Amino acid sequence: MRAQAPKTGPSTGAARRPRRAARAALWPTALALWPLALAVLVAGPLLGRGYLLLRDAVSTPRSFLTDAALGVSDAAPRAVPQDVVVAALSSVVDGGVVVKAVLVLALWAAGTGASTMVGALVPARGPGLRAAGLAGRCTASTLAVWNPYVAERLLQGHWSLLTGYAALPWLVWAGVRMRRAPAVGIGATLLALALAGLTPTGAVLGVIVAVVVAGMPGGWRRAARVAVAVAGFAAVAAPWLITAAVAGPGTTSDPAGVGAFAARAEPYLATIGSLAGLGGIWNAQAVPPARTGAGALLGTLALLALVACGVRGVWRRRAHPVIAAVAVLAVLAVALPALSATAPGLAVARWAVDTVPGAGLFRDAQKWVALAMPGYALAAALGVRALARLPRRLPGLRARVAQNRRGSRRAGVLSALGSAGACAGAAAVSSAVLIAALPSLAWGVGDALRPVHYPPGWDAVRTIVDAKPDDGAMVTLPAGSFRAFPWTHGPVLDPAPRYFRTDVLVTGDLLVGDTTVGGEGARARAAEQALLGGAAPAALAEKGVRWVLVQHGTPGASGDSAATLARAELVYADPDVSLYRIPGPVPDRGATAAQRGWAWAGHALWLAAAVTGAALLWGAELRRRRRGRRSRRRV
């Protein structure tokens, strides 16, 4: 009697299709919601009313298009086009909401970018190579969002630098897509570079990844890919390249900043160990509590153990040029900052900063460790699959697996389900270990990122000085760039330059321990020295100063400024601030119309790159939808 073959007709296939569709719909949702949940968990305290004010992070109710915002003041253009973007958006939405929204979106984009990048790179062609799957991609998201680099940069107030950090895995993905779908790849590259280019550091981070990935062999013309990356960088970096060329009188930076900003060894770790664990920021006050003792060693070991589990998987895929490039970039991103912290490295860096214009951008060596994140995320995703296979390597379980393979079809299905469950379990354990290794990153990095509220006197002063924003510039007391108000949760950059429509002169000097790192604000320094020396108000007026704002409750030097202020006009005073008006005519010492025009041209190039990238992506998506509709009609 002939045995009946199992039924595999249309009804069986039709029954499987809904399940496959359900799984296909579940993946994008999970891959998007998981990093969003992590981002909200990190930034939770900031989601209430108020403003982010912590070290370099300064948000205000409204920002303005001042000379400093355009990058044409006498200080270096370090925050362009960031300040112009915030000024434009804060004319419609409260500035505090803008900064908090960008921060949350950057963290979310870092997680989704890591998982998308892993999905594009794995599987690679080769025998026995399998995809990282949902479990591996979720783990990559966890590592991208939850690591010491993110925690330390948040505590340092580098919210906009995190947009450049978040763009890195997207640039890897764009480089892969450019090989087979040039329009999509070019659009994604331009848009990611524009978002990374909110700060000069972000733009440099982005172009390094874009050029390295584009320069690898394979696919669409390599020279064209590199040209796209270089041209995109030139456009998004134009706001600070152009303004530095036409407005910056100081071409070099203070070499004292090299040692002050060098990477720092954490407890029980050498400098290279701290950097390998994605930590080692120069500012000890910007280190999360979980990494101030033995936690630094344990957290680093946990992170590196997960990455090490995936090294074999990365090595087996080394024939893939982009995977090889990402891996090498991760190694160099750790090794080179570590070398720069040695005595020879510091000597070379001091020479470069003192000699080469713009080399001061590289003084903070630890921030370049961000380039390791794509490689770490890829290794972590592959490490989850390696961890999931560990139980199968035990002698007793290996025999059971072999028996299942020789058994029925049902046993094979159960084995596949067990494999999926093992991957899910490994991903859950890996993510839990990453989070447990840095618990203080949760809820505002140990509640350090809490919104604050400006005292009412700040609005009163703004009403006065903004009534005539072109009447003259403002200087502030006490001297120095940082403040420690009783109503903030830590030291913060002076908010005045972003709070008022009038130009506020700042020297940019920074005190790091016992070392003072000089800024580039020559005009601000001259005005400050005259004020601290008790000069006549006319001396300030000659330098273009109309207003002196005294901020109470914060430490700092005031010198003999009382002698100058006694001959000025007190126009407002309360327990928080006092405002003095310098009498007499005040000449305009700000930027020229030509300098502002060049600055606007640079910002227009940045915007053109962003719009072009978005348009190319939108056009590609429309074409994909049209093809999908045509395919359904044929069916």
Side-chain angles (χ1 to χ4, degrees), residues 11-417:
S11 60
T12 305
R16 290 176 182 171
R17 280 195 290 270
R19 291 197 295 269
R20 293 174 181 171
R23 287 197 298 269
L26 176 64
W27 274 45
T29 303
L31 293 173
L33 290 182
W34 174 240
L36 180 61
L38 293 175
V40 171
L41 181 59
V42 171
L46 286 175
L47 301 183
R49 298 181 61 184
Y51 300 90
L52 175 58
L53 284 174
L54 182 65
R55 294 185 177 88
D56 293 350
V58 175
S59 61
T60 58
R62 171 78 191 275
S63 298
F64 302 96
L65 297 172
T66 61
D67 286 350
L70 288 171
V72 289
S73 66
D74 60 345
R78 292 190 177 91
V80 292
Q82 164 198 312
D83 284 352
V84 169
V85 172
V86 174
L89 294 177
S90 65
S91 65
V92 181
V93 182
D94 183 87
V97 175
V98 170
V99 170
K100 289 184 284 189
V102 171
L103 176 57
V104 172
L105 290 174
L107 294 175
W108 176 67
T112 55
S115 68
T116 304
M117 176 197 71
V118 170
L121 293 178
V122 181
R125 291 190 179 90
L129 301 181
R130 301 179 65 184
L134 179 64
R137 292 174 66 176
C138 284
T139 305
S141 291
T142 305
L143 187 144
V145 176
W146 210 279
N147 62 66
Y149 186 91
V150 171
E152 292 174 355
R153 291 298 156 177
L154 285 174
L155 289 177
Q156 189 59 35
H158 290 171
W159 61 272
S160 53
L161 175 60
L162 290 178
T163 62
Y165 168 86
L168 301 183
W170 286 107
L171 285 166
V172 176
W173 176 82
V176 174
R177 293 287 290 159
M178 202 185 303
R179 286 161 161 75
R180 296 185 178 180
V184 174
I186 292 172
T189 297
L190 292 178
L191 184 58
L193 281 174
L195 295 176
L198 280 178
T199 63
T201 298
V204 176
L205 286 170
V207 73
I208 290 173
V209 172
V211 168
V212 168
V213 173
M216 293 298 103
W220 189 56
R221 299 175 181 176
R222 189 192 311 186
R225 297 196 305 263
V226 174
V228 168
V230 173
F233 169 74
V236 303
W240 51 275
L241 290 177
I242 292 177
T243 54
V246 303
T251 57
T252 59
S253 302
D254 187 353
V258 172
F261 296 140
R264 184 184 59 86
E266 294 173 299
Y268 307 103
L269 291 168
T271 302
I272 192 168
S274 299
L275 294 169
L278 303 183
I281 194 171
W282 58 270
N283 186 0
Q285 296 180 350
V287 176
R291 294 185 67 87
T292 55
L297 174 61
L298 296 176
T300 297
L301 290 177
L303 174 65
L304 293 181
L306 176 59
V307 172
C309 289
V311 168
R312 184 169 180 266
V314 173
W315 176 254
R316 294 180 67 190
R317 292 165 173 82
R318 64 189 183 279
H320 192 303
V322 177
I323 289 179
V326 167
V328 171
L329 197 59
V331 174
L332 294 178
V334 173
L336 293 182
L339 288 175
S340 71
T342 63
L346 292 173
V348 172
R350 289 191 188 97
W351 171 84
V353 166
D354 194 37
T355 307
V356 181
L361 180 66
F362 298 88
R363 293 183 301 186
D364 184 356
Q366 191 268 348
K367 64 188 176 185
W368 306 104
V369 177
L371 295 168
M373 184 268 281
Y376 275 41
L378 176 61
L382 295 173
V384 166
R385 181 163 290 279
L387 289 173
R389 287 197 299 265
L390 282 179
R392 296 185 175 190
R393 298 181 183 274
L394 299 176
L397 291 178
R398 189 183 303 169
R400 292 183 186 178
V401 171
Q403 183 178 2
N404 285 339
R405 287 176 179 171
R406 292 192 298 268
S408 65
R409 180 178 177 183
R410 180 181 179 185
V413 172
L414 292 176
S415 176
L417 291 175

